[in-house]
Amino acid sequence: MVKDRQIFSLIQEYLSIFPAVGLLGPRQVGKTTLVKNLKLVKESIYIDLEKASDRAKLVDAELFLKAHVDKTVILDEIQLMPELFAQLRSLIDEQREPGRFILLGSASPDLIRKSADSLAGRIGYLELTPFFWGEIDESELEKLWIRGGFPLSFLAKTDRESQIWRQNFIKTYLERDLAQIGLSTDPRLVERFWIMLAYAQGGIWNGESFARALGITRPTVNRYLEFLEGSFMVRALQPFHRNIKKRLVKSPKVFIRDTGLLHSLTGVDSMEALRNLVQIGASWEGFVIEQITATFGEEYEYYFYRTHQGAECDLLLVKNGAVKTAIEIKNTLSPKLTKGLQISMEDTGAEEGIVICRIEGEYPLSEKVRAMGLGDFLSE
């Protein structure tokens, strides 16, 4: 069972504040469905910029948009016509009122940058993620881990149907979507890169080793990573290094964000197969990080911590420059307090430590560290 999307009320709030609201997220995550179900103050008109017939309406964009000044105009796949941003700015400045435009974007790395000059101060951005813990029945957490949170994958009738959907999503993304967002290259090469990332889930980014393995240059590999990150497929978790006089790891840790896609890329189609996967711990770590970031959003900044001496913490929750929580993520039913977590907490000044593992409930591991199940941590 899926509950209402938690972002729903936030979009309504943004529409009461900003003349334009940008809703960003990967394809097939439900942006269009969500927006079409909003309770808008004004009548709306929907323009799908993937359709030639709808693009033709905007040959004279100023004339068309002025004819619908009394409506909320929804522009889907806005990254396909970035030239519209300048026109939108002019129209907003002529008649500045909230809720005039809703811009839906499927992950162009240039989308924010292109609009920053044109719509600065006129637009509020939100990210729609795949389903996460707060939007599903708590009993289906394991299903969410296996299938990922894309609606058509999570809601599929069978695991087989879910797997087929994900395989086709990956194929379409490689063969069509990448080119549409500006990466013109051999899809098979990007597929190999994506699979390599999946098997290196949660590893420290080393562009040189990826470039050697693929037979391409390091700048090319970095560009691939930039496009996958910009299209919400990959998370590059940055290291924490503020005011710490130790030799620290400076490169990010890289994760496939949706574990359903991760499992498809590594050939996993069931919980039994996942249990036999060497990367099960990395899969669980990435899953937990995505659930935390989706749940708390911009309330915190998110980092990991690792020294060259071996002290490590999987996730730091930082607020106003202070480390509130240091989190270690373990795929285990019997968590222990590690020296690495203790050193990380001392180095960063973390207020508390949490070991998130495969248990229900919580119990103390020390005065400042608790072991907790994922659901318990998120609900707390």
Side-chain angles (χ1 to χ4, degrees):
M1 185 185 77
V2 178
K3 306 171 186 176
D4 291 336
R5 301 305 309 260
Q6 288 194 1
I7 200 174
F8 200 89
S9 60
L10 190 56
I11 296 174
Q12 299 277 184
E13 182 181 15
Y14 269 48
L15 285 168
S16 70
I17 298 171
F18 296 99
V21 174
L23 184 61
L24 306 178
R27 286 184 182 274
Q28 302 295 317
V29 80
K31 298 186 296 295
T32 304
T33 301
L34 180 65
V35 168
K36 286 184 174 181
N37 284 291
L38 289 173
K39 296 178 180 178
L40 299 173
V41 175
K42 299 187 290 186
E43 182 185 350
S44 66
I45 180 170
Y46 173 78
I47 304 294
D48 183 354
L49 298 179
E50 281 197 310
K51 294 173 62 176
S53 57
D54 278 8
R55 289 198 304 274
K57 297 174 183 177
L58 297 172
V59 170
D60 188 335
E62 181 179 8
L63 182 64
F64 178 85
L65 295 173
K66 280 187 173 181
H68 297 283
V69 71
D70 58 331
K71 300 181 179 69
T72 294
V73 179
I74 302 167
L75 297 168
D76 203 349
E77 304 299 353
I78 186 64
Q79 74 279 353
L80 299 179
M81 291 186 69
E83 64 272 18
L84 286 175
F85 286 119
Q87 187 66 66
L88 295 176
R89 179 180 68 173
S90 175
L91 293 171
I92 289 171
D93 288 347
E94 287 178 11
Q95 184 176 332
R96 192 182 182 97
E97 60 182 42
R100 286 195 64 188
F101 301 101
I102 300 176
L103 312 181
L104 307 183
S106 286
S108 168
D110 293 328
L111 181 58
I112 300 292
R113 189 158 57 249
K114 284 182 184 295
S115 64
D117 295 334
S118 300
L119 296 180
R122 304 167 181 87
I123 188 168
Y125 280 108
L126 294 167
E127 180 188 339
L128 182 63
T129 68
F131 292 147
F132 61 95
W133 176 82
E135 297 177 331
I136 65 164
D137 190 290
E138 294 178 21
S139 64
E140 296 189 299
L141 190 63
E142 190 171 279
K143 174 182 168 183
L144 183 66
W145 179 21
I146 291 290
R147 295 187 178 186
F150 281 91
L152 293 177
S153 175
F154 180 77
L155 297 172
K157 296 176 183 177
T158 65
D159 287 344
R160 170 71 176 163
E161 184 179 311
S162 173
Q163 175 75 329
I164 290 172
W165 183 89
R166 281 178 272 134
Q167 288 170 344
N168 279 273
F169 176 91
I170 291 169
K171 185 173 186 291
T172 302
Y173 177 85
L174 291 167
E175 295 179 356
R176 188 195 69 170
D177 296 351
L178 275 176
Q180 286 191 342
I181 63 174
L183 184 61
S184 298
T185 188
D186 184 353
R188 292 170 296 180
L189 196 56
V190 183
E191 182 179 25
R192 285 177 56 200
F193 173 68
W194 207 358
I195 292 172
M196 286 176 63
L197 282 178
Y199 280 102
Q201 175 83 339
I204 300 295
W205 172 245
N206 185 334
E208 193 64 44
S209 65
F210 275 85
R212 283 198 305 269
L214 293 169
I216 55 180
T217 66
R218 183 168 181 173
T220 301
V221 162
N222 288 338
R223 188 160 176 261
Y224 288 178
L225 183 66
E226 178 187 355
F227 270 82
L228 287 173
E229 184 181 8
S231 58
F232 307 97
M233 296 294 109
V234 163
R235 179 181 297 278
L237 186 66
Q238 298 298 321
F240 184 83
H241 51 76
R242 297 177 191 171
N243 304 319
I244 295 175
K245 297 178 181 179
K246 288 190 174 184
R247 291 185 62 237
L248 304 176
V249 171
K250 299 292 179 65
S251 297
K253 288 173 69 173
V254 178
F255 296 88
I256 307 295
R257 291 184 60 169
D258 183 78
T259 48
L261 297 183
L262 170 72
H263 297 151
S264 289
L265 290 164
T266 52
V268 170
D269 59 2
S270 65
M271 192 65 205
E272 182 179 357
L274 179 58
R275 291 191 185 102
N276 295 324
L277 186 70
V278 174
Q279 292 85 2
I280 184 172
S283 171
W284 174 247
E285 180 182 345
F287 178 71
V288 170
I289 289 172
E290 288 306 309
Q291 301 313 302
I292 290 173
T293 55
T295 300
F296 298 124
E298 295 183 358
E299 184 175 347
Y300 297 101
E301 297 174 62
Y302 305 96
Y303 302 93
F304 77 95
Y305 181 77
R306 183 182 291 185
T307 71
H308 285 288
Q309 291 73 36
E312 180 178 4
C313 178
D314 296 321
L315 186 66
L316 298 177
L317 306 188
V318 180
K319 193 168 188 176
N320 299 325
V323 178
K324 297 297 182 180
T325 307
I327 299 173
E328 193 168 64
I329 302 166
K330 295 295 182 185
N331 178 44
T332 181
L333 295 172
S334 52
K336 298 177 181 178
L337 178 60
T338 64
K339 190 172 183 179
L341 178 60
Q342 290 175 298
I343 293 173
S344 298
M345 291 178 65
E346 292 171 6
D347 290 349
T348 63
E351 295 179 10
E352 66 168 350
I354 301 290
V355 180
I356 295 180
C357 49
R358 300 286 302 284
I359 64 171
E360 293 185 7
E362 64 168 281
Y363 55 85
L365 295 173
S366 72
E367 185 178 344
K368 292 182 67 175
V369 180
R370 292 175 290 161
M372 299 183 75
L374 175 59
D376 299 285
F377 175 76
L378 295 174
S379 60
E380 180 182 274

